[in-house]
Amino acid sequence: MTSPLKIILLTHEREVDRPSNTGAIALEYYPEYCQRIIWSRVAPDPQVVDLLNQGQGALLFPDDQETMQLDLNVGKQFESLNHQPRGGVIEGDEMSQFNVPNVVVILDATWQEARKMCRRSDYLKQAMKYTLPETLIAKQRSQFRLRRNQVEGGFCTIECIQFLFHLKGMHTEAAVLESAFKNFNQNDGKIT
């Protein structure tokens, strides 16, 4: 049995009322696993700061050049949690071989806003990072179609949560979110 997963959506204030916010789907369907906290540059949430400073959770962040630049002087990575064997996409129970932090913080914002949030918050820059396994996302493409200017190879908030659910063995919950996200995309941002 895997440990329970807690997801903290550290949400940019502009994201809360956007009809294209996919984090709202997870909050609607799984409030027992997902929590929203509004990000503030000047008054960061003490719970999130303590959690990340004490290494009790990790910030979900892509393993790319920007991440490397952000973490250049930090050296705090969840390397032991980030097993990335090469090969095809992993399916079903094979995904449970990956260790996922029990608490994951996701920057719930546009890509541009998320980068700014990380740059403007020392506790986020210094937080341990967790990157989705390459074998899981290598052949996947984002299905999100309600926003322009998406990052190549990037995923929206709900897709990241689906991946995390699968990695934790929560396949039923992931399937529910996949269906809800499909409807959300087809209905121009309405949760049905």
Side-chain angles (χ1 to χ4, degrees):
M1 181 84 181
T2 60
S3 299
L5 177 64
K6 178 177 181 174
I7 296 172
I8 297 173
L9 300 178
L10 193 56
T11 305
H12 193 283
E13 64 184 11
R14 292 185 198 150
E15 193 69 20
V16 175
D17 295 323
R18 285 185 177 136
S20 57
N21 176 261
T22 63
I25 301 168
L27 293 167
E28 174 77 21
Y29 282 85
Y30 292 109
E32 67 271 31
Y33 301 118
C34 300
Q35 169 188 3
R36 173 178 278 162
I37 295 176
I38 305 302
W39 172 81
S40 171
R41 183 181 64 80
V42 295
D45 184 85
Q47 172 193 355
V48 175
V49 173
D50 288 345
L51 181 90
L52 293 175
N53 284 343
Q54 295 173 14
Q56 296 175 348
L59 177 67
L60 183 69
F61 212 82
D63 186 19
D64 62 8
Q65 289 300 341
E66 182 155 342
T67 304
M68 300 309 240
Q69 290 170 357
L70 287 171
D71 293 330
L72 196 57
N73 298 316
V74 178
K76 289 170 67 179
Q77 295 285 333
F78 258 110
E79 291 174 14
S80 64
L81 296 176
N82 202 7
H83 307 291
Q84 294 187 11
R86 301 293 171 192
V89 174
I90 298 172
E91 297 178 5
D93 290 331
E94 294 175 21
M95 283 191 258
S96 62
Q97 69 177 304
F98 294 99
N99 292 320
V100 178
N102 290 334
V103 180
V104 178
V105 176
I106 297 176
L107 299 179
D108 186 27
T110 66
W111 279 98
Q112 296 81 2
E113 289 166 346
R115 286 185 186 113
K116 288 178 186 175
M117 289 165 69
C118 205
R119 278 196 305 265
R120 294 177 180 174
S121 303
D122 286 339
Y123 72 98
L124 294 175
K125 284 193 279 191
Q126 296 173 3
M128 289 188 270
K129 309 295 190 291
Y130 178 75
T131 301
L132 293 170
E134 183 67 26
T135 51
L136 177 63
I137 62 173
K139 296 181 182 178
Q140 306 282 337
R141 297 204 88 153
S142 177
Q143 301 302 304
F144 194 37
R145 43 180 218 89
L146 299 179
R147 287 192 186 164
R148 296 183 182 141
N149 302 324
Q150 295 302 299
V151 172
E152 180 69 26
F155 295 96
C156 67
T157 299
I158 195 67
E159 290 170 317
C160 291
I161 294 170
Q162 291 169 34
F163 287 136
L164 291 169
F165 277 6
H166 277 302
L167 289 167
K168 276 292 200 179
M170 301 167 65
H171 306 299
T172 302
E173 292 88 345
V176 168
L177 291 183
E178 288 165 19
S179 177
F181 177 52
K182 183 177 179 182
N183 289 335
F184 182 85
N185 256 337
Q186 291 172 345
N187 293 309
D188 296 322
K190 292 180 183 74
I191 299 175
T192 56

